[in-house]
Amino acid sequence: GMTPARARARARATTALLPLLFLLGTAIAFSLAAESLPRRIRGGRPSGGVRRGVAARAVGGKAPWEMVSSPVYSVSTRDAERGGNMNIATYVSAASLAKTPGAKKCYSVALFKDTKTHFNAKRDGEVVLQLLSRRHASLVSLLGKQSGNDIDKIVTLKSQGVQIEWLRGMPFLKSFLS
């Protein structure tokens, strides 16, 4: 027979596996239902196109990161050469909670390596994280698709009429949300 400890371990493993099997079964069921819909309704690609997985096809052929509307931030850093630099960040998560009124909340921010922002943040250990709104959508091309190594983003922002302020040597948008 099976020892009591082994029986408990098997029960825990089965309990953890059942939700996964249910999710997989649900995704397959949605996929089969979606496949029966005309392509113009389900939003999929014609046969021979790129396939992105069972669950993605079930909700219109989009990958998960294309379906989620997540907050968009800008990370600002000190820049010894140009005064400051900003970029776009969408992979931002709260890493701690402020438990007392004066305490600061800590965030985790994903930055691409070998960028001006990564270099500056690593050097100083400090950034300004600013939450953007829809009115900042026109800034995404400059802040997110151009390198601070090639262009002075702060000068470019000012030339576009964007109001910039400074905090401890780091620029920030006067119109940020939070």
Side-chain angles (χ1 to χ4, degrees):
M2 193 180 307
T3 67
R6 184 162 170 89
R8 283 191 304 273
R10 177 176 277 182
R12 280 193 304 268
T14 303
T15 303
L17 185 59
L18 287 176
L20 293 175
L21 291 174
F22 173 76
L23 288 174
L24 180 60
T26 303
I28 290 170
F30 280 136
S31 175
L32 294 174
E35 290 297 325
S36 66
L37 296 173
R39 190 176 66 78
R40 64 182 167 73
I41 294 174
R42 73 175 188 265
R45 290 186 160 81
S47 56
V50 176
R51 299 178 73 128
R52 295 187 181 160
V54 172
R57 285 196 320 275
V59 289
K62 292 185 176 182
W65 55 86
E66 294 172 327
M67 294 183 290
V68 176
S69 177
S70 61
V72 176
Y73 296 86
S74 174
V75 174
S76 176
T77 58
R78 283 181 210 92
D79 183 2
E81 299 166 11
R82 296 187 171 138
N85 189 55
M86 290 187 204
N87 82 338
I88 294 295
T90 55
Y91 294 118
V92 176
S93 298
S96 71
L97 300 175
K99 293 182 180 180
T100 60
K104 293 182 181 178
K105 196 172 186 179
C106 183
Y107 284 85
S108 171
V109 179
L111 299 173
F112 284 108
K113 287 186 174 182
D114 301 324
T115 63
K116 177 70 86 174
T117 300
H118 181 262
F119 175 81
N120 293 343
K122 191 172 178 182
R123 180 193 64 224
D124 294 340
E126 186 175 48
V127 301
V128 171
L129 181 64
Q130 44 194 341
L131 178 61
L132 305 182
S133 70
R134 289 187 189 274
R135 71 173 169 236
H136 298 108
S138 63
L139 304 180
V140 171
S141 181
L142 169 65
L143 300 181
K145 296 182 178 181
Q146 296 186 44
S147 172
N149 290 317
D150 302 329
I151 186 171
D152 188 328
K153 294 181 184 183
I154 306 309
V155 168
T156 305
L157 287 168
K158 287 181 180 179
S159 74
Q160 294 175 358
V162 177
Q163 293 183 326
I164 304 293
E165 294 193 1
W166 297 83
L167 176 67
R168 295 199 301 254
M170 292 176 281
F172 66 90
L173 302 171
K174 186 174 182 179
S175 60
F176 73 98
L177 286 178
S178 175

